Amino acid sequence: MGDAWHQPTEPAAHTRDLATSAPVIGDTLPIMAGSIQRGDGRRACDVALDGVVAGRHHVAAASLVGLAHAVSGSSRQDAYSFCLDPRGRLYVAVADGLGSRSVSQLGARIFCDEIMRAACERDDDSPAEPATLIAIAGRNTATITRDVYGQNPREVSCVAVVGAFGQERFEFARVGDATAFEFADAAFVELFDNHSDFVNLVDAAIPEDNDRATTVTMTSRASVIALVTDGLATDIRSSEGVRTWLISQWAMPVTAYAMSESLRYRRRGSHDDRTAVVVWTQIGVHDAPT
Amino acid sequence: MPESSELFTVFPIFLVVDVSASMAGGPIEAVNRSLPEMKAEMRSNPTVGEIARVALITFSDQARTVIPLCDLATAPIPELPVEGGTNFAAAFRELRAAVDNGMRSLPKGTPVYRPVAFFLSDGEHTAREDWGSALDQVRDDGWKYRPEIVAFGFGDANGEALRRIATRFAFLAKDQDPAMQVREIMQALIRSIRSTSSSFRDPNQAEGLHLEAPSEYFTPLPPMTT
């Protein structure tokens, strides 16, 4: 890895932190303490974690507040959720609130919840298509935002990726730059095309563009799939150090705390929230989860 | 273009500063005091210093790239002297070259924010040549690296010219004292870099850049629609 890869620094003297073996990549500046802003009644917690067996799959998930949000006192804007529908199909949603909208963390959270509700409360026995779920959940997000929270739906905009893991195939749909990777043969393969010229701009969001989802499908197989927000996706695309680290961390199914550890690396310029829901599919052919 | 296995995110910022004779005294002194403050911000705030790359271009009768796109935290900051007249065309030609050179110097595949140019002037174009075609080259929609241009005017700056130069945001400083005006502009600029560096994405490109120019100190000029 050369000079870009070195051991982590000690945690700040005035707080106690858990030891980590997560790497520090590149020349980094000292981290400032996190804070919160006055009057922010919609703040999301800094960390969310999971690590469970879900039907035929193992799912581990983590969402960690980014340095930029922690330092400025603004809320983590990512959210995730996953569920098994009544027939045992796994659905995953990962959303990322837009930084320029005042309460986008609320939109990301509502959207993920509405994806789960739409997947589980269907009358139809056929698998729900992620693009259809996005359209339904996006509309519901706008309605709930306006009618329950009294907010302009524009103020909760987010981007999202949704996955459905069926018996025959896996299907993924997204709006904006949230994305999905397959981890195979010690490498990451991005399932969506990445066309973005600039990292601080996206061309579509929910609820404005609910019907503009892009879909990809793959045959159901034993695999490891990660649905992620762009804070992590950018690092996977642009950092050999991060890829090497995650490959070592996700080589087998992990617990909630091990999933948290996998996203605790420090990398120069990587300050956005990091969120990943990792699915070890058809775990009968993987090592059993610990 | 160098290759690298580690491609760190970059927010490219181009400062285009008027150093014509009318900047003598308080205004140029305010600029010279503010640049080290910007450097200090780069060295102390990881959310800015780990992302922002800054270039400094000055213009009077001619324009020069005083600091090419770089990590300002490690760059020597020169004392800027005042020079002669005011040539916007030279400024825009130099800006286009500095953006091209700066962006091409980044390793291939580097994640980048859309470049931003902050244009500061206290007067009007005084050279014989027309500056419109040079501006068009910087605002060319077909140019891959076309920057967002934010124009700040003070002293005898022409509001209509600033509106024409800016892609979206143009401001006139309110304070009576030109030195204070420059000071407020440089503070607004630092705050804008800080808030844009720590914000992420918007489908409406107008909001890809976060301006922090309080109305207490600045009069926003309406964007030119043609």
Side-chain angles (χ1 to χ4, degrees), chain A:
Chain A
M1 218 63 60
D3 291 337
W5 177 280
H6 57 92
Q7 287 303 305
T9 54
E10 292 297 316
H14 64 286
T15 55
R16 189 179 74 83
D17 202 353
L18 299 179
T20 178
S21 58
V24 176
I25 302 169
D27 294 327
T28 56
L29 295 168
I31 295 176
M32 303 135 104
S35 61
I36 61 171
Q37 293 176 348
R38 295 181 184 184
D40 180 6
R42 302 281 182 219
R43 178 178 177 274
C45 59
D46 277 355
V47 176
L49 300 174
D50 274 293
V52 295
V53 173
R56 304 169 66 230
H57 315 293
H58 182 91
V59 181
S63 182
L64 310 186
V65 68
L67 181 61
H69 290 146
V71 167
S72 68
S74 54
S75 178
R76 174 172 61 91
Q77 293 168 329
D78 286 0
Y80 73 81
S81 194
F82 55 89
C83 73
L84 294 174
D85 75 4
R87 298 150 197 92
R89 299 185 197 101
L90 173 66
Y91 293 88
V92 175
V94 170
D96 179 357
L98 300 182
S100 58
R101 305 300 166 84
S102 60
V103 282
S104 62
Q105 72 275 16
L106 185 62
R109 181 70 263 159
I110 294 171
F111 175 80
C112 288
D113 290 347
E114 286 304 301
I115 288 285
M116 300 303 119
R117 189 161 73 94
C120 287
E121 295 181 0
R122 299 172 67 248
D123 295 329
D124 189 349
D125 192 49
S126 63
E129 295 177 350
T132 304
L133 294 178
I134 286 175
I136 295 168
R139 286 195 295 273
N140 290 349
T141 299
T143 302
I144 292 168
T145 298
R146 188 175 50 246
D147 295 350
V148 177
Y149 291 93
Q151 298 275 350
N152 182 340
R154 179 182 157 77
E155 294 305 319
V156 301
S157 297
C158 61
V159 297
V161 58
V162 174
F165 297 80
Q167 290 274 7
E168 305 283 323
R169 64 180 183 172
F170 304 151
E171 189 167 337
F172 308 92
R174 72 167 177 179
V175 170
D177 63 359
T179 190
F181 292 88
E182 183 177 20
F183 167 49
D185 300 326
F188 286 94
V189 177
E190 190 161 1
L191 301 182
F192 294 92
D193 290 334
N194 174 37
H195 293 307
S196 177
D197 286 332
F198 300 118
V199 293
N200 59 329
L201 302 173
V202 294
D203 59 4
I206 295 163
E208 298 93 323
D209 305 297
N210 297 330
D211 298 317
R212 290 180 55 195
T214 305
T215 297
V216 296
T217 60
M218 58 187 282
T219 305
S220 173
R221 59 175 175 262
S223 182
V224 182
I225 306 288
L227 284 76
V228 303
T229 53
D230 79 314
L232 183 58
T234 298
D235 287 342
I236 292 174
R237 292 184 198 114
S238 60
S239 171
E240 183 182 336
V242 169
R243 291 192 296 271
T244 301
W245 167 250
L246 293 180
I247 285 168
S248 71
Q249 295 297 295
W250 296 347
M252 62 183 296
V254 297
T255 64
Y257 297 114
M259 186 64 194
S260 170
E261 171 75 354
S262 73
L263 300 190
R264 288 183 69 195
Y265 63 86
R266 173 84 168 91
R267 180 171 188 255
R268 180 181 177 88
S270 175
H271 306 145
D272 201 354
D273 297 341
R274 296 174 186 159
T275 298
V277 178
V278 182
V279 181
W280 287 262
T281 68
Q282 302 172 3
I283 53 174
V285 295
H286 288 283
D287 293 332
T290 55

Side-chain angles (χ1 to χ4, degrees), chain B residues 81-104:
Chain B
V82 292
E83 299 172 5
T86 304
N87 187 339
F88 287 179
F92 297 132
R93 281 194 297 269
E94 190 66 21
L95 172 61
R96 168 118 189 180
V99 173
D100 261 332
N101 293 336
M103 299 302 286
R104 287 178 180 157

Side-chain angles (χ1 to χ4, degrees), chain B residues 17-21 23-25 28-29 31-32 58-60 64 66 78-84:
Chain B
V17 179
D18 187 341
V19 292
S20 60
M23 289 284 288
I28 197 69
E29 288 169 10
V31 171
N32 282 323
T58 60
F59 68 96
S60 56
R64 292 183 295 133
V66 178
E79 187 89 0
L80 300 181
V82 292
E83 299 172 5

Side-chain angles (χ1 to χ4, degrees), chain B residues 17 22 34 42 54 60 63 73 80 84 96 103 113 122 135 141 150 158 175 180 186 192 196 204 217 222:
Chain B
V17 179
S22 58
S34 297
M42 301 292 171
V54 179
S60 56
L80 300 181
R96 168 118 189 180
M103 299 302 286
Y113 284 45
D122 73 336
L135 176 65
D141 286 341
V150 181
N158 180 320
D175 202 290
M180 281 304 297
M186 295 302 285
S192 300
T196 301
N204 177 355
Y217 300 120

